[in-house]
Amino acid sequence: MKNFTYFRPTTAEQAVALLENRWGNTELLAGGTDLHDLQKEYVAQPSRVVSVTGIGALAGIRVDEKQATIGAGTKLAAIAEHADLRRHFPSLCEAASDIGGPQIRNMGTLGGNLCQRNRCWYFRDEHTPCLLKGGQRCYALDGENKYHAIFTQGRQCVIVNPSTLAPALIALGAGVNILGPKGRRSTDLAKFFFSPANANDREHTLAANEMVLEVTIPVRNWANASYEVRQKLSYDWPLVQAAVAFQGGRNGAKATGVRIVLGHVAPTPHIAEAAMKALEGRDITDANATAAGRAAAEGAKPLSQNAYKIRLVEVAVKRALLMAAGMKRYWEM
Amino acid sequence: MPWPTTRRVIGTKVQRLDGPDKATGRARYSFDINLPGMLHARILRCPHAHARIKNIDSGAAEKTNGFRALHIIANAGVQLFFAGAEIVAVAADTEEHADDCLHAIRIDYEVLPHFVKEADALRAPDGPSTVPGGTPNVRPGGDFSTAKFDDVAYEGTAPRVEGTYGVAIISHQCLESHGLVAQWDNDLANLTVYASTQAVPLTAQALAQNFKLPVTRVKCITNYMGGGFGSKFGPDIQGIVAAELARKARAPVKLMLDRAEEVAVGGQRPSAAGTVRIAGTKEGDIRAYEVDCYGSPGVGGGATVNLGFLPYVYSVPNIKRRHRFVRLNLQTGRAMRAPGHPQNCLLTDQAVDDLAASLGLNPIILRTRNLPQNDQNAVQNDPTSFPALRHTIYTRQLEIIRKLCSWDDRWHPPGRGDGVIKTGLGMALHTWGGGGGPPNPTRVTVSSDGSVLVQSSTQDLGTACRTVPAIITADILGLRPQDITVQIGDSTFGPSTPSGGSTTCPGISPAILKAAEAARDALFAAIAPGLNAQAADLSIDTGHVINRANNNARIPWRNACGRLGMNTAIGNGDWPTNAQFQQNPDLRREWRGRLTNNGVGGVQVAEVKVDTETGVVRCTRFWAVQDCGLIINKLACESQVAGGVIMGVNYALFEECIYDRVTGRMLNPDMEFYKLGGIRDMPDIMVHMMDMPERGVIGIGEPPTISTAAAVGNAVFNAIGVRVPQAPFTPERVLAALANGRKRN
Ligand SMILES: Cc1cc2nc3c(=O)[nH]c(=O)nc-3n(C[C@H](O)[C@H](O)[C@H](O)COP(=O)(O)OP(=O)(O)OC[C@H]3O[C@@H](n4cnc5c(N)ncnc54)[C@H](O)[C@@H]3O)c2cc1C
Ligand code: SF4
């Protein structure tokens, strides 16, 4: 690991003041479950590291009648276990409790989860100079790409965004509060993510001298669920994830305001517009959920080794919808 | 010197002596050894799958913070044949500084062509050689045919069944990585290493040879060891390099591989794949087995399957086999827990189930009909040997497992059942050797305070071998295992069997028995005169010495030992030499027929649930029936079997080394995308140990992992009614097989 100078400010303003306006030389550090990994592999080589762990105000969960606010420094384990969050947003808490293993959930934070780098194995190999490391080509395009994107149109880099909290949060209509040198700004989480193409890009739209303060979620009694197709139950990544949220939809009521967001299929969380349209104003039946799943997979352009993910999208969407509607989980073993 | 017929401790369930130390972290593995002033070493490795070193410039490394010593492993001009090959090693004051030093070294390479995928090399039989010596990458690995195969094999059989079956290269993934801590004394005359090794004395010997030292001046210590599985039989390059650097820096040096190195260069199990044709009569007698297979042992030329044993276990009259080695620019394959056997089992037992399906037979019936017969010659001359008993053992095991797993209720014809989640049951059989041998000198010392010490240089890889000397000695001396102090893992105690081939327990056990009996006899001889008795009047009962010469007086153990005064009672035990065995067949029969033996059988059944919408497979239950002769520690045996099953379930469902065609590097040298099941991914495991004390001690390290993957493969087939040809049975492969199945129907 390249040696670095370590800063541990106690306010977010101090932290932001320590950042630079270009990526690479200075990095924010939260739980370190991702950044330290990249440093040890010499993929990230910051000479300055700004820890947010000294900023007490950054961690914490508040839930009132209108909205939930989760600080960027909140641990994944705290999100998974929070009773009020679980009552309103089972999709988020389920997603949080499925992440990695206990060690990762006890160290990893919400801010780190949303801003984590992608898991492409070429990206994480020190010796492979792919696009995101200033190189000339994407090695995954015709290499080993079974875990890569299937919605690849117009993308030079075919990573999948790794966060499983992001699809759940986007489906719930979450917003994100950001602090930069000029003060605070807010944006929809749906607009937060980015499809990177070179070494100056990140998987999100933050400027290098900005940081995430908190995420807000409207409380509105919507049905919601997240379903992940996982090969293993412990310490693994999903192959495909579907997060859904809608109003009504239970006990024969029509579903409205339907949101369906896919994870691990595209460089950003993928909003499945066609599926959302297909289901809008309908009731959640097996047939309608199946149709929505098909619509969600439409337009996929898989790579050489990941066409199987199309089928997984169909299934994950169907199952997430049935779960949210409180129907029988016919797939439980 | 037979095994006691009434056994107080032997064969019971004994918790391992070091369990609490391991569970609490008190046990210090070689990786945990930190010596005062110790340096950390790291190795610079070739990032290319095939390259020639043009130039090495290490000047900047020597000026890097913390630098202490450098050792060139491969010089300019040397050709390297896989990504990960060692070039330069550096020792520095911290691990991070050592890494920085490596990054300051500049190496120019001439990059050469490589192959890292079997299919690519097979497609280019006349392509450039990319392996040492310029020999072809694809080479014949032997072929064989029984007489007139093509004429007679399929006479009178039902239509033959053809299938392909493959399995990936996997890594040993030792939890404690390879490596050691090396420490020289001040005048560089004596070397001590704390090594993670399966062969303590051998490691000391290899280092002595390398540094031209008398072997008496090299000491290898392995107190606790975090797994080897066949990949840790000597100091390896990194061990020698650590000692070199320690000598140069005149300070102790630790060099343990990191996870990526452990996976990429710490050992691999060769892949195997083949097309099998199998045919039988409609009653279910297998008549013909043909296999055309290949596999990759990496850049080395070692075996991939155990060709002579194909078809595996079953007795088939007509056999034809062909094998090719596909040498690739990958680390050389190393022995891994029953080398060749799991691959053989996959190439046989999965075909047997496909045949059963095509004949419409229950696979347990087919298996029962085609078991190898007991060898009549062996029955006469070697009645406890495996050839004399194999039919008896397998038949009995099939009966046991049939009841244990309720086969008759649970099994259904392949692919039957509605619903999205389909359940299946699959079975497979295996065999292994596991015989011990000389030398294993062991010493038992009884002190006048009643304490007992057993010393042997053997090592405990995590198997519970440390508890074996305590169990046997306690049994002979009427004590409890926890009363015995065991010292192992120290090369100065003399030679011992390297822990390979499941030979450790059968290797050390009779030597311990002999030493314990000798110590007992020495004690009796020393104290008899003071008790007005002959040594022959004394005997052992739990916690006591009994004196027949004095009305069977019961003398508490400590009091009896107290009579030793300033002395100790020492017993030494070892095997006869191989020369003695040759001269004396009775001696051989005693040691290799009654005290120990060679050859075991085992049967396993897996239950899986397959999600037919996602292709996800979960192994939910597992049953294993295993023979290992005389059981020393039933608890440890069951634990060995469970461990073997866990390893096999991983082999079947998760593990695969994935290499990039272009860069030639491994993409998943980790525990993230190199998938290893956690406890939630493992089945409930039911183990039944078959106790056959008359056979003597036989090893059990390897056999219980052999048939697991094939049993899982058969269970998946039974669940969904189509064969998934390639292991691991990942969601995308299961979905592809299901789609193919639908196309065919
Ligand atoms: C085996 C394994 C399985 C995993 N499975 C999953 C999974 O299923 N789903 C999933 O979502 N994740 C998964 N993870 C990833 C895990 O969730 C992340 O590593 C973790 O959330 C990162 O949080 P951290 O606080 O440790 O981040 P750090 O490592 O500290 O930081 C990560 C990145 O975020 C930036 N950052 C941190 N905080 C802020 C902030 N407040 N503002 C702006 N930038 C910030 C840092 O600069 C850095 O670039 C898995 C990880 C592993 C190793
Ligand atoms: S997918 Fe992106 S990160 Fe991976 S190799 Fe291609 S460009 Fe690099």
Side-chain angles (χ1 to χ4, degrees):
Chain A
M1 180 188 296
K2 193 177 112 182
N3 209 1
F4 57 84
T5 314
Y6 180 70
F7 301 89
R8 195 160 180 267
T10 51
T11 68
E13 287 71 19
Q14 290 168 0
V16 165
L18 286 163
L19 298 178
E20 297 179 66
N21 60 9
R22 62 185 173 98
W23 292 111
N25 194 52
T26 303
E27 295 283 356
L28 274 177
L29 170 73
T33 58
D34 181 28
L35 181 65
H36 286 332
D37 251 25
L38 292 165
Q39 286 180 283
K40 287 189 204 162
E41 302 299 327
Y42 289 79
V43 173
Q45 300 194 34
S47 53
R48 302 167 77 241
V49 169
V50 180
S51 168
V52 299
T53 55
I55 309 173
L58 208 58
I61 300 170
R62 287 193 315 275
V63 186
D64 57 31
E65 307 88 76
K66 287 227 183 80
Q67 75 171 19
T69 309
I70 311 174
T74 310
K75 302 278 188 201
L76 302 173
I79 296 174
E81 287 153 16
H82 198 274
D84 286 338
L85 286 182
R86 201 165 265 275
R87 194 152 42 85
H88 294 298
F89 316 117
S91 62
L92 174 67
C93 296
E94 288 296 326
S97 54
D98 278 346
I99 290 175
Q103 293 96 327
I104 298 198
R105 295 194 294 273
N106 284 324
M107 286 306 289
T109 63
L110 174 62
N113 184 277
L114 298 177
C115 299
Q116 60 178 304
R117 303 299 320 257
N118 74 82
R119 307 302 295 193
C120 169
W121 41 29
Y122 296 100
F123 176 69
R124 290 194 176 243
D125 172 22
E126 180 190 354
H127 302 289
T128 304
C130 78
L131 288 180
L132 292 202
K133 289 185 286 182
Q136 296 304 309
R137 56 176 290 203
C138 168
Y139 286 76
L141 263 186
D142 36 41
E144 295 296 324
N145 53 35
K146 71 172 170 170
Y147 299 127
H148 283 75
I150 52 172
F151 292 96
T152 55
Q153 291 89 331
R155 327 272 199 183
Q156 291 169 272
C157 160
V158 291
I159 54 163
V160 293
N161 185 286
S163 172
T164 48
L165 299 188
L169 287 166
I170 293 172
L172 291 166
V176 55
N177 294 331
I178 294 162
L179 185 69
K182 293 193 198 112
R184 286 171 77 119
R185 70 179 175 99
S186 302
T187 176
D188 275 356
L189 193 62
K191 298 202 183 97
F192 180 78
F193 294 99
F194 187 72
S195 187
N198 63 56
N200 301 318
D201 291 340
R202 288 283 158 109
E203 290 80 352
H204 50 70
T205 52
L206 282 185
N209 54 10
E210 289 182 315
M211 69 177 280
V212 174
L213 289 180
E214 59 197 15
V215 168
T216 58
I217 320 169
V219 170
R220 46 190 179 184
N221 196 22
W222 282 23
N224 61 83
S226 160
Y227 183 87
E228 299 174 19
V229 181
R230 282 178 177 267
Q231 190 188 354
K232 287 194 299 165
L233 292 171
S234 37
Y235 205 73
D236 201 4
W237 294 90
L239 297 168
V240 160
Q241 174 195 16
V244 303
F246 48 79
Q247 192 168 17
R250 286 180 172 249
N251 306 322
K254 311 279 179 223
T256 57
V258 177
R259 307 268 293 162
I260 301 177
V261 185
L262 307 178
H264 286 255
V265 297
T268 59
H270 183 79
I271 300 178
E273 306 273 2
M276 284 159 41
K277 246 187 235 130
L279 201 66
E280 185 63 29
R282 294 175 183 265
D283 44 3
I284 310 285
T285 60
D286 199 80
N288 287 344
T290 305
R294 287 226 186 85
E298 262 167 33
K301 267 216 159 73
L303 304 167
S304 53
Q305 299 176 341
N306 65 7
Y308 73 99
K309 281 195 177 187
I310 293 177
R311 178 86 187 109
L312 299 190
V313 165
E314 295 173 358
V315 177
V317 167
K318 174 171 73 172
R319 292 184 181 182
L321 288 168
L322 297 180
M323 275 166 74
M327 294 169 69
K328 186 167 179 287
R329 302 183 181 190
Y330 64 84
W331 57 89
E332 278 184 352
M333 294 188 175
Chain B
M1 188 197 74
W3 289 105
T5 42
T6 47
R7 295 179 286 275
R8 270 179 281 248
V9 191
I10 293 171
T12 63
K13 293 193 172 190
V14 181
Q15 285 186 1
R16 50 184 83 193
L17 294 181
D18 50 15
D21 288 343
K22 288 184 167 177
T24 56
R26 208 159 42 220
R28 284 172 80 212
Y29 289 75
S30 302
F31 207 121
D32 300 324
I33 301 288
N34 290 309
L35 303 172
M38 187 183 79
L39 306 176
H40 296 264
R42 303 277 297 143
I43 295 178
L44 178 83
R45 299 173 181 278
C46 181
H48 305 291
H50 186 194
R52 185 178 286 106
I53 304 173
K54 290 206 292 204
N55 186 46
I56 302 178
D57 177 1
S58 58
E62 309 191 6
K63 296 189 196 84
T64 300
N65 256 349
F67 172 88
R68 292 292 295 280
L70 177 140
H71 177 70
I72 306 249
I73 303 165
N75 278 295
V78 169
Q79 202 173 333
L80 302 167
F81 293 95
F82 62 96
E86 298 83 356
I87 303 176
V88 183
V90 169
D93 56 355
T94 68
E95 218 178 316
E96 290 74 15
H97 279 154
D99 262 329
D100 282 346
C101 292
L102 295 189
H103 279 81
I105 298 172
R106 258 200 66 88
I107 303 200
D108 297 327
Y109 301 95
E110 178 192 351
V111 179
L112 302 166
H114 65 251
F115 287 111
V116 294
K117 295 196 184 267
E118 293 90 336
D120 293 349
L122 285 166
R123 260 196 302 270
D126 309 315
S129 162
T130 68
V131 293
T135 51
N137 283 63
V138 180
R139 283 198 326 202
D143 56 71
F144 168 88
S145 173
T146 50
K148 299 201 186 121
F149 182 93
D150 292 328
D151 302 335
V152 301
Y154 297 101
E155 251 171 40
T157 69
R160 69 185 179 194
V161 179
E162 181 174 309
T164 64
Y165 313 94
V167 67
I169 290 178
I170 67 163
S171 159
H172 295 64
Q173 277 279 22
C174 304
L175 219 44
E176 181 186 38
S177 62
H178 288 61
L180 53 76
V181 177
Q183 181 177 37
W184 295 85
D185 63 1
N186 286 337
D187 50 6
L188 300 180
N190 291 283
L191 171 64
T192 302
V193 297
Y194 302 85
S196 183
T197 180
Q198 303 178 227
V200 167
L202 221 69
T203 300
Q205 263 168 43
L207 286 163
Q209 233 163 43
N210 185 79
F211 291 99
K212 304 198 165 51
L213 290 170
V215 71
T216 44
R217 291 179 174 249
V218 180
K219 178 166 165 173
C220 176
I221 305 282
T222 304
N223 282 324
Y224 298 94
M225 207 258 191
F229 313 108
S231 68
K232 285 187 182 164
F233 284 109
D236 270 348
I237 293 183
Q238 68 273 0
I240 289 172
V241 162
E244 281 287 3
L245 290 168
R247 185 163 70 164
K248 285 188 182 168
R250 294 198 163 245
V253 166
K254 180 189 270 190
L255 204 176
M256 305 295 294
L257 302 187
D258 71 11
R259 183 52 46 190
E261 293 173 302
E262 177 62 23
V263 181
V265 308
Q268 58 111 314
R269 175 189 278 167
S271 58
T275 303
V276 174
R277 294 198 193 112
I278 187 167
T281 62
K282 61 181 192 311
E283 295 77 28
D285 294 324
I286 306 177
R287 303 287 306 157
Y289 177 91
E290 272 185 85
V291 60
D292 184 352
C293 60
Y294 62 87
S296 179
V299 74
T304 65
V305 294
N306 231 303
L307 197 64
F309 287 1
L310 276 174
Y312 193 56
V313 174
Y314 305 99
S315 161
V316 179
N318 301 298
I319 300 170
K320 193 172 181 179
R321 49 190 179 226
R322 182 166 91 107
H323 180 234
R324 281 164 296 161
F325 299 113
V326 185
R327 295 174 75 194
L328 298 173
N329 296 94
L330 307 173
Q331 66 163 318
T332 296
R334 299 189 188 194
M336 181 169 180
R337 208 166 182 180
H341 282 233
Q343 295 96 317
N344 275 24
C345 189
L346 284 162
L347 283 169
T348 303
D349 255 316
Q350 296 192 102
V352 165
D353 262 34
D354 288 350
L355 177 64
S358 101
L359 296 174
L361 290 174
N362 187 322
I364 205 168
I365 308 290
L366 191 68
R367 288 194 166 78
T368 308
R369 283 184 83 102
N370 292 282
L371 293 174
Q373 291 305 316
N374 292 341
D375 178 326
Q376 286 313 312
N377 201 1
V379 171
Q380 289 303 314
N381 301 317
D382 228 343
T384 58
S385 71
F386 189 66
L389 290 165
R390 57 198 177 193
H391 189 268
T392 315
I393 289 175
Y394 282 127
T395 308
R396 183 95 192 82
Q397 291 181 334
L398 284 166
E399 282 164 9
I400 293 171
I401 209 158
R402 186 173 193 162
K403 283 214 194 79
L404 205 61
C405 75
S406 312
W407 179 273
D408 295 340
D409 298 334
R410 282 176 200 272
W411 186 82
H412 56 73
R416 223 181 49 186
D418 318 316
V420 166
I421 308 296
K422 299 211 189 288
T423 304
L425 213 57
M427 174 183 280
L429 270 55
H430 60 249
T431 182
W432 186 251
N440 273 293
T442 305
R443 166 177 290 209
V444 173
T445 306
V446 178
S447 295
S448 60
D449 66 350
S451 60
V452 180
L453 172 69
V454 192
Q455 291 167 308
S456 154
S457 69
T458 191
Q459 52 280 317
D460 185 335
L461 278 54
T463 56
C465 257
R466 182 193 303 276
T467 309
V468 168
I471 292 172
I472 296 172
T473 307
D475 203 304
I476 298 306
L477 300 182
L479 302 172
R480 300 169 307 169
Q482 60 267 38
D483 298 330
I484 314 290
T485 302
V486 179
Q487 291 179 348
I488 57 168
D490 181 334
S491 63
T492 60
F493 292 155
S496 62
T497 307
S499 292
S502 306
T503 59
T504 312
C505 191
I508 61 175
S509 291
I512 299 163
L513 174 66
K514 210 172 161 190
E517 290 186 344
R520 177 198 60 197
D521 294 347
L523 173 71
F524 288 172
I527 65 173
L531 294 167
N532 296 322
Q534 304 290 314
D537 294 326
L538 303 182
S539 63
I540 297 278
D541 191 15
T542 311
H544 293 83
V545 172
I546 312 297
N547 184 359
R548 197 176 48 189
N550 179 17
N551 266 335
N552 288 333
R554 294 170 65 82
I555 312 162
W557 170 258
R558 279 181 72 126
N559 297 357
C561 295
R563 296 179 164 271
L564 283 168
M566 303 284 284
N567 294 317
T568 51
I570 294 179
N572 287 301
D574 197 1
W575 283 69
T577 61
N578 282 323
Q580 285 169 311
F581 282 144
Q582 250 155 30
Q583 285 156 12
N584 184 346
D586 283 340
L587 196 63
R588 193 191 62 77
R589 270 194 281 275
E590 182 193 356
W591 283 76
R592 293 214 157 115
R594 292 195 292 277
L595 286 172
T596 74
N597 223 313
N598 185 44
V600 297
V603 180
Q604 302 192 343
V605 171
E607 181 199 75
V608 301
K609 292 193 191 291
V610 182
D611 184 331
T612 53
E613 285 185 343
T614 62
V616 171
V617 180
R618 307 230 183 274
C619 185
T620 42
R621 288 189 223 214
F622 208 94
W623 298 267
V625 179
Q626 184 64 49
D627 150 48
C628 71
L630 170 76
I631 292 170
I632 298 287
N633 182 353
K634 193 158 183 217
L635 188 63
C637 278
E638 290 174 354
S639 157
Q640 248 337 282
V641 175
V645 168
I646 288 171
M647 203 166 191
V649 169
N650 276 306
Y651 193 37
L653 296 183
F654 303 126
E655 291 182 75
E656 175 161 21
C657 294
I658 299 173
Y659 302 98
D660 181 62
R661 174 175 284 132
V662 173
T663 66
R665 285 190 290 278
M666 187 176 173
L667 292 167
N668 57 343
D670 50 41
M671 288 189 171
E672 181 180 344
F673 291 112
Y674 186 99
K675 301 202 177 195
L676 285 167
I679 201 70
R680 288 201 290 159
D681 299 300
M682 289 302 140
D684 288 339
I685 303 168
M686 262 72 63
V687 179
H688 179 99
M689 292 305 307
M690 221 170 137
D691 197 8
M692 303 184 78
E694 67 283 4
R695 300 194 63 205
V697 181
I698 315 174
I700 197 186
E702 282 151 301
T705 202
I706 296 172
S707 59
T708 310
V712 171
N714 283 338
V716 172
F717 170 66
N718 182 249
I720 63 177
V722 284
R723 177 64 61 185
V724 184
Q726 176 73 22
F729 309 119
T730 55
E732 78 272 17
R733 290 183 178 136
V734 173
L735 286 178
L738 283 165
N740 278 339
R742 274 192 297 272
K743 240 183 273 160
R744 257 184 278 138
N745 290 336

